[in-house]
Amino acid sequence: MLKYIKISLLEVLEMPQWLKDAVFYEIYPQTFCDTNGDGIGDIAGIISKLDYVKSLGCNAIWLNPIFDSPFMDAGYDVRNYKLVAERYGTNDDLIELFNKAHEKGIKILLDLVPGHTSDQCEWFIESQKPEKNEFSNRYTWTDSVWEAPPQYKFVCGITNRDGNYLVNFFSSQPALNYGFAEITHPNWQLPPSHPDCQATVEAMKDVMRFWLDKGADGFRVDMADSLVKNEDGEKPETCKVWRNIRKMLDEEYPEAAIISEWSRPHTSIGAGFHSDFYLDHDNNGYRYLFREKDKETGECKAVFSKNGKGDITKFLDDYLDELKAIKGKGYISFITCNHDTPRMTKMFSPLEAKLAYSFVFLMPGVPFLYYGDEIGMKFMEGLQSKEGGFSRTGTRTPMQWDDSANHGFSTASADKLYLPVDTSADAPTVSAQEKDEDSILNTIRKVIKLRHENEDLQSDGDFEVVYAESGKYPFIFKRGKFVIAVNPTDKEQKAPCKFDGEQVFAIGKACVE
């Protein structure tokens, strides 16, 4: 019996067919490829590398924010949702990217930030005016500058409007107003059904239509669970917002996909998302697989550590319930990493990382490969924060293409680069790994190719646990006709299982008898 509360699902559950065999590549545009020598990556650079992306086996791209922004939070502080930031190019350049990608069979998801904008957004500039206007309630304001309840995060006393405004996180990101599930301050909190809160939903639909009409294939949705305030758990009011948006997509753009940053698939899929990221959160399965540490000693206790101290059952206790809850309704998206997370190479050796990344592409759902992980790029320690990166900055460094200046990322002088490149002697590059049949790069290509060639290994394929014991290896599971044994330890491990058939792919030492 599932441990989750049953939630209402959409009556219409159309699924974009292309997600069934989608493998995504996440591109951080600032540091992927710079073609004009200003030290910052651009859309032209992404276009120039589409053949490379395709060579990986990736047939879809998630593009981190490229909209106009003052870049206090690397573009997650949007100033104009309908304008490409000048440093990346123009709207026409983005449309060209859509077209060129589609010619090569590659889909493009844009990064939608629905919960907040920049404090330089025109909506906010109008909202902070003392005079009542259509944007006055586009954001959440108290009705007096003297009121700032401590349970909320407010910016106080910097506008002429008599009130303080709510922010989601950074002070430069005022929270858009989708209402409050529980009204505790009726003098300034609105219910989600209020026309002004509904106007915020319609404004976000308008943004989505704008880019879908120009060729986008959907959106990855930032902080998708953070819209309606004062609700916990299943977040029914926020789910209503997304079901409303999903209804619009089903009716007008049935092949458009929305993928949520929520990490609660049984809730987010019920809210209308096609897939939900499996993220590094406390006590969830993803952490037990790839990130778990002893809280006192700092010793790695992840399943994919070669020290053999991980516990696969902790992953399964979380994952199997989630997988069962969303089966046939949507997907779980495993990630190798993302722009918010230290690269796995911070904890893992190249071999451990190779095994972990390969596992991501052998699981059900829609997998995501973070740029540079395919060559084992390092998490660069000790970098000064850039554009709100702080502890995340070391994961956002320039892509390492070859051994030329700046590893082929840019012709700019080193001091002009968005972030410094890895100059260590063992810095991995695409050009070097292309020549090594056993490299992480070529291993990932083989695994993704195997996935594409076999429906059993794709998004909808079954998942069955064959052998999983607490504190023991190997972990063995089935995907249709395929039996997969996982053993990241440096010792031969045996399981009491027998199988007939031929070996089609091998990296580690897992075996059965």
Side-chain angles (χ1 to χ4, degrees):
M1 175 171 251
L2 293 182
K3 62 187 178 184
Y4 299 127
I5 299 170
K6 185 177 180 180
I7 54 177
S8 298
L9 293 170
L10 293 170
E11 292 183 5
V12 181
L13 283 166
E14 286 92 349
M15 181 67 66
Q17 292 301 302
W18 58 271
L19 285 178
K20 294 179 181 294
D21 187 30
V23 176
F24 276 87
Y25 190 71
E26 179 189 350
I27 292 178
Y28 198 66
Q30 294 94 313
T31 50
F32 189 62
C33 182
D34 168 28
T35 60
N36 62 8
D38 65 357
I40 299 176
D42 44 50
I43 293 172
I46 297 169
I47 293 172
S48 74
K49 299 297 184 180
L50 286 175
D51 284 336
Y52 169 76
V53 173
K54 187 173 182 178
S55 79
L56 297 172
C58 292
N59 53 13
I61 289 171
W62 161 26
L63 195 57
N64 290 126
I66 54 168
F67 304 130
D68 177 50
S69 170
F71 294 104
M72 297 298 292
D73 186 21
Y76 284 94
D77 49 329
V78 178
R79 182 162 49 200
N80 186 337
Y81 286 102
K82 296 182 179 181
L83 181 67
V84 169
E86 184 178 359
R87 73 187 194 181
Y88 300 133
T90 66
N91 284 19
D92 287 341
D93 292 330
L94 182 54
I95 293 169
E96 182 182 5
L97 172 60
F98 296 152
N99 294 335
K100 294 291 187 183
H102 293 163
E103 289 173 6
K104 298 177 186 296
I106 298 172
K107 305 287 188 179
I108 304 284
L109 290 194
L110 298 181
D111 213 326
L112 184 69
V113 187
H116 51 258
T117 69
S118 164
D119 57 8
Q120 296 182 28
C121 178
E122 183 180 357
W123 296 351
F124 185 72
I125 291 170
E126 292 299 313
S127 182
Q128 67 183 346
K129 290 180 178 178
E131 301 83 15
K132 182 76 173 177
N133 62 69
E134 67 172 300
F135 296 100
S136 294
N137 285 330
R138 183 59 55 88
Y139 302 83
T140 299
W141 294 80
T142 63
D143 63 351
S144 167
V145 74
W146 309 115
E147 183 173 10
Q151 66 267 40
Y152 303 104
K153 186 180 290 187
F154 283 103
V155 173
C156 306
I158 66 169
T159 75
N160 288 327
R161 178 171 175 171
D162 187 9
N164 304 308
Y165 61 89
L166 185 70
V167 298
N168 275 342
F169 198 75
F170 293 156
S171 62
S172 60
Q173 296 167 315
L176 287 163
N177 189 4
Y178 293 87
F180 287 73
E182 180 184 357
I183 305 295
T184 57
H185 295 76
N187 52 330
W188 53 269
Q189 293 176 346
L190 301 177
S193 60
H194 190 281
D196 289 347
C197 299
Q198 291 299 305
T200 306
V201 178
E202 293 304 316
M204 207 50 57
K205 287 183 188 177
D206 178 62
V207 170
M208 296 172 79
R209 288 186 179 104
F210 179 85
W211 289 112
L212 290 169
D213 286 342
K214 287 177 169 45
D217 297 291
F219 302 90
R220 173 269 187 182
V221 180
D222 181 66
M223 296 176 62
D225 62 335
S226 70
L227 303 189
V228 177
K229 306 305 182 187
N230 277 7
E231 65 172 350
D232 297 314
E234 301 301 322
K235 300 198 171 185
E237 293 296 336
T238 294
C239 289
K240 285 180 185 177
V241 172
W242 289 115
R243 282 196 287 269
N244 181 326
I245 291 172
R246 171 66 182 273
K247 185 174 185 294
M248 178 272 287
L249 292 176
D250 281 347
E251 292 174 352
E252 301 177 29
Y253 307 93
E255 282 298 295
I258 48 173
I259 298 179
S260 56
E261 183 190 34
W262 199 313
S263 202
R264 197 175 174 89
H266 69 278
T267 302
S268 58
I269 301 305
F273 285 94
H274 298 103
S275 191
D276 185 25
F277 283 116
Y278 205 27
L279 300 173
D280 179 25
H281 290 174
D282 286 340
N283 301 317
N284 83 344
Y286 185 91
R287 176 164 293 185
Y288 289 124
L289 281 176
F290 307 125
R291 310 282 180 169
E292 182 70 0
K293 292 182 180 179
D294 186 286
K295 291 180 171 56
E296 294 183 0
T297 67
E299 182 182 27
C300 183
K301 299 186 74 174
V303 169
F304 277 86
S305 172
K306 66 182 179 182
N307 67 19
K309 296 187 177 181
D311 188 343
I312 192 64
T313 64
K314 290 183 177 180
F315 158 68
L316 293 172
D317 286 346
D318 179 66
Y319 175 70
L320 290 178
D321 275 344
E322 292 285 5
L323 184 64
K324 187 174 181 180
I326 57 94
K327 183 68 174 176
K329 305 176 182 74
Y331 301 120
I332 294 172
S333 283
F334 280 81
I335 61 173
T336 62
C337 181
N338 67 16
H339 60 288
D340 287 333
T341 309
R343 293 186 187 270
M344 286 194 200
T345 49
K346 184 174 182 179
M347 288 178 61
F348 289 166
S349 69
L351 177 56
E352 290 168 306
K354 182 194 294 186
L355 292 167
Y357 298 156
S358 296
F359 176 82
V360 164
F361 301 109
L362 293 173
M363 292 296 284
V366 181
F368 280 70
L369 172 63
Y370 185 57
Y371 85 97
D373 280 352
E374 72 272 21
I375 58 171
M377 277 179 59
K378 304 172 191 174
F379 176 84
M380 289 184 62
E381 305 278 2
L383 295 183
Q384 182 175 335
S385 178
K386 179 76 171 184
E387 295 185 351
F390 299 101
S391 61
R392 306 170 296 181
T393 304
T395 299
R396 303 176 175 186
T397 54
M399 181 63 178
Q400 296 158 199
W401 297 104
D402 53 42
D403 289 328
S404 64
N406 302 320
H407 286 310
F409 161 68
S410 172
T411 59
S413 58
D415 63 318
K416 299 295 184 183
L417 299 182
Y418 178 85
L419 283 171
V421 299
D422 183 356
T423 58
S424 59
D426 61 347
T429 64
V430 172
S431 62
Q433 293 211 3
E434 292 273 12
K435 303 168 187 174
D436 179 2
E437 185 66 20
D438 195 41
S439 66
I440 297 177
L441 175 63
N442 284 318
T443 299
I444 284 179
R445 282 175 168 157
K446 293 172 188 174
V447 174
I448 295 176
K449 182 175 184 289
L450 190 65
R451 181 186 178 98
H452 285 315
E453 290 174 346
N454 295 277
E455 288 188 13
D456 285 348
L457 298 176
Q458 294 170 12
S459 300
D460 287 326
D462 289 337
F463 176 85
E464 177 189 345
V465 176
V466 175
Y467 179 79
E469 295 289 338
S470 178
K472 294 183 179 180
Y473 293 86
F475 166 45
I476 303 175
F477 60 98
K478 288 184 69 177
R479 303 285 322 278
K481 65 186 177 184
F482 291 90
V483 176
I484 301 163
V486 177
N487 172 30
T489 73
D490 55 7
K491 299 178 181 178
E492 184 177 90
Q493 306 285 350
K494 296 183 179 182
C497 308
K498 289 185 180 294
F499 300 100
D500 294 324
E502 62 177 318
Q503 179 176 287
V504 296
F505 184 77
I507 304 174
K509 299 178 181 178
C511 67
V512 295
E513 63 174 14

